[in-house]
Amino acid sequence: DTGVSQDPRHKITKRGQNVTFRCDPISEHNRLYWYRQTLGQGPEFLTYFQNEAQLEKSRLLSDRFSAERPKGSFSTLEIQRTEQGDSAMYLCASSPRDKDYEQYFGPGTRLTVT
Amino acid sequence: QKEVEQDPGPLSVPEGAIVSLNCTYSNSAFQYFMWYRQYSRKGPELLMYTYSSGNKEDGRFTAQVDKSSKYISLFIRDSQPSDSATYLCAMSEVKAAGNKLTFGGGTRVLVKP
């Protein structure tokens, strides 16, 4: 399978704990995006990488959130001191060079904060 | 008010009917218009995209963009029960440093056999 992969698929954690998600983009794609989707809503943009550089962050990305893409390949999204409002589906997408509109999504990581 | 508005549905149609979906938007800087299909608890799947105004056809799917009215549509001909899903419209500007997608809330479609 050469699509975008995400791990884990589902994470249940207690309020106040830290969680980390991983995304592996399509191998030849140099751009990687993180989105968050809550029930009944469309995905909302969180942040974006071109290679290893984080080029844009949404105001939704509070200081409890941090994302990295250390070698320009896989990316991680960490949430510190989770809150119940962080419960959502976290989606990763990647796109080929010069075709940002052609974003391919992974299956998502569903986070439940109890 | 959201930048992209989409009727949440659900939209229920009999098998074989034409499904008509649409979105309105407020940001005149949007240049790319996408349609995604999302099955329950799965990631969105890119169906097709259109640049600027005009029509685009791909198999049973036709996308239309009317930038003067800030209105886009997706038509699904000969609908099948497997088309039952949530359909999301998405849009982006054209920037040198990457283009985030702005999504509508999605329309649930149910195609009944």
Side-chain angles (χ1 to χ4, degrees), chain A residues 9 31 33 35 37 40-43 45 48 55-56 89 91 100-107 110, chain B residues 2 32 34 36 38 41-44 46 49 88 92 95-101 103-106:
Chain A
R9 295 291 306 278
R31 291 178 172 173
Y33 300 78
Y35 292 82
Q37 185 177 26
Q41 303 297 316
F45 170 78
Y48 145 71
L55 297 186
E56 188 174 349
M89 173 83 92
L91 293 161
D100 292 347
Y101 48 87
E102 211 172 292
Q103 294 184 23
Y104 296 90
F105 283 80
R110 182 171 296 279
Chain B
K2 293 183 178 180
Y32 280 98
M34 280 66 68
Y36 283 83
Q38 187 173 29
R41 297 184 176 271
K42 304 288 186 184
L46 179 62
Y49 63 86
L88 298 155
S92 74
K95 296 179 179 177
N99 303 302
K100 63 183 180 184
L101 299 182
F103 282 85

Side-chain angles (χ1 to χ4, degrees), chain A residues 15-86:
Chain A
R15 189 176 53 187
Q17 297 295 305
N18 299 343
V19 294
T20 301
F21 310 140
R22 176 180 169 126
C23 170
D24 286 89
I26 295 172
S27 59
E28 61 268 26
H29 289 182
N30 72 326
R31 291 178 172 173
L32 186 149
Y33 300 78
W34 285 98
Y35 292 82
R36 182 172 69 185
Q37 185 177 26
T38 53
L39 200 61
Q41 303 297 316
E44 293 178 292
F45 170 78
L46 292 178
T47 189
Y48 145 71
F49 291 86
Q50 179 169 296
N51 299 314
E52 65 276 8
Q54 188 174 16
L55 297 186
E56 188 174 349
K57 292 193 292 186
S58 163
R59 59 180 171 77
L60 293 176
L61 213 66
S62 74
D63 56 6
R64 296 185 297 106
F65 288 70
S66 62
E68 293 183 340
R69 195 182 182 196
K71 297 183 179 179
S73 56
F74 72 92
S75 175
T76 59
L77 177 69
E78 181 183 15
I79 309 175
Q80 296 182 327
R81 305 181 303 282
T82 52
E83 302 172 355
Q84 287 189 320
D86 297 331

Side-chain angles (χ1 to χ4, degrees), chain B residues 4-109:
Chain B
V4 181
E5 298 281 357
Q6 189 174 5
D7 189 321
L11 180 62
S12 182
V13 300
E15 182 176 357
I18 295 176
V19 176
S20 175
L21 304 164
N22 58 76
C23 291
T24 58
Y25 63 95
S26 57
N27 184 352
S28 57
F30 287 143
Q31 295 280 7
Y32 280 98
F33 304 90
M34 280 66 68
W35 286 96
Y36 283 83
R37 177 174 62 196
Q38 187 173 29
Y39 293 111
S40 181
R41 297 184 176 271
K42 304 288 186 184
E45 173 192 358
L46 179 62
L47 289 175
M48 55 195 308
Y49 63 86
T50 310
Y51 174 69
S52 194
S53 284
N55 296 353
K56 188 173 184 179
E57 188 173 321
D58 185 0
R60 297 186 296 114
F61 299 90
T62 299
Q64 293 182 349
V65 174
D66 181 350
K67 289 190 69 180
S68 62
S69 301
K70 297 189 177 66
Y71 185 90
I72 70 169
S73 302
L74 177 72
F75 300 96
I76 308 173
R77 291 183 299 281
D78 189 24
S79 57
Q80 305 295 312
S82 58
D83 294 326
S84 298
T86 295
Y87 289 80
L88 298 155
C89 63
M91 309 177 186
S92 74
E93 302 179 25
V94 177
K95 296 179 179 177
N99 303 302
K100 63 183 180 184
L101 299 182
T102 302
F103 282 85
T107 299
R108 275 187 56 209
V109 172

